[in-house]
């Protein structure tokens, strides 16, 4: 075989195989599969799953749990009515990785997604708090914590629901956990 023919054959073979994870594998000439023109299409990767999309998210306070002390009771009273509506958010999805980012978040999130479900962790630790004295003489101090976010996208990829869990250890060895419910609509 001439060098030009061999080079052309290799180039055509590489082009036919595709280059990305969304490219379907081509059947070999000895395969009993139907020709590509009658094969069913590969599962669609929507543009949203392969790039950046803009969202408007509303965060609602869900609960705070932990030891029965003045700090937890005060946090429950403070945050129970809290709703943060219409926060802009960017979601980046590619190759099973996800990022959820906003200048309004205490931390941004990175994680993984499979199909419509995702789970992510705060990219940095949550800030701890100062010492909070209680009337009974005890002092409660929240140390730096961790934040996780898990949820799913709707079948049409226009809505997102998630639960954010922020857990802070206390100097006493106990833990305070805050839960927030997220609902978001895609804006592009």
């Amino acid at each position: 075989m001439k060098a030009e023919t061999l080079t052309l054959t290799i180039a055509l073979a590489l082009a036919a195989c595709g280059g990305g994870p969304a490219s379907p594998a081509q059947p070999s000439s000895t395969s009993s599969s139907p020709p590509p023109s009658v094969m069913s299409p590969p599962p669609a990767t929507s543009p949203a799953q392969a790039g950046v999309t803009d969202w408007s998210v509303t965060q609602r306070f869900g609960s705070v749990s932990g030891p029965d002390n003045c700090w937890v009771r005060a946090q429950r009273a403070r945050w129970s009515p809290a709703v943060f509506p219409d926060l802009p958010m960017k979601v980046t999805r590619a190759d099973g990785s996800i990022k959820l980012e906003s200048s309004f978040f205490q931390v941004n999130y990175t994680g993984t997604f499979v199909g419509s479900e995702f789970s992510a962790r705060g990219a940095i630790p949550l800030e701890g708090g100062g010492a909070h004295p209680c009337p009974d003489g005890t002092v409660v101090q929240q140390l730096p914590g961790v934040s996780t976010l898990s949820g799913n996208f709707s079948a049409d990829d226009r809505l997102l629901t998630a639960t954010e869990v922020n857990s802070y250890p206390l100097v006493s060895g106990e833990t305070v956990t805050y839960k927030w419910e997220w609902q978001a609509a895609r804006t592009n």
Side-chain angles (χ1 to χ4, degrees):
M1 192 181 276
K2 290 183 173 182
E4 296 90 22
T5 306
L6 180 59
T7 302
L8 180 59
T9 303
I10 291 171
L12 289 173
L14 289 173
C17 290
S23 300
Q26 299 295 320
S28 68
S29 59
T30 58
S31 170
S32 61
S33 298
S37 61
V38 294
M39 287 180 60
S40 40
T45 299
S46 74
Q49 293 173 330
V52 180
T53 50
D54 295 317
W55 296 77
S56 176
V57 62
T58 295
Q59 299 172 333
R60 293 183 194 289
F61 177 77
S63 65
V64 62
S65 60
D68 185 24
N69 61 39
C70 73
W71 174 249
V72 172
R73 288 189 300 272
Q75 292 297 86
R76 197 172 289 129
R78 175 183 180 197
W79 291 113
S80 286
V83 175
F84 298 97
D86 303 318
L87 303 175
M89 173 176 69
K90 288 205 178 290
V91 175
T92 305
R93 290 177 277 178
D95 300 326
S97 295
I98 189 169
K99 289 182 185 177
L100 300 100
E101 303 171 293
S102 175
S103 60
F104 291 95
F105 297 170
Q106 187 174 358
V107 297
N108 290 312
Y109 294 91
T110 60
T112 58
F113 74 94
V114 175
S116 65
E117 295 183 12
F118 70 91
S119 63
R121 187 174 176 96
I124 59 172
L126 297 167
E127 290 184 26
H132 307 282
C134 289
D136 65 3
T138 61
V139 175
V140 178
Q141 184 173 359
Q142 225 173 236
L143 299 172
V146 296
S147 186
T148 60
L149 183 67
S150 60
N152 58 59
F153 294 92
S154 62
D156 66 358
D157 202 49
R158 303 297 303 169
L159 302 173
L160 170 151
T161 57
T163 301
E164 175 185 23
V165 178
N166 300 325
S167 297
Y168 295 87
L170 301 177
V171 170
S172 66
E174 298 164 298
T175 302
V176 175
T177 302
Y178 302 79
K179 288 187 181 177
W180 293 83
E181 300 303 324
W182 290 27
Q183 293 184 340
R186 205 167 107 191
T187 59
N188 70 341

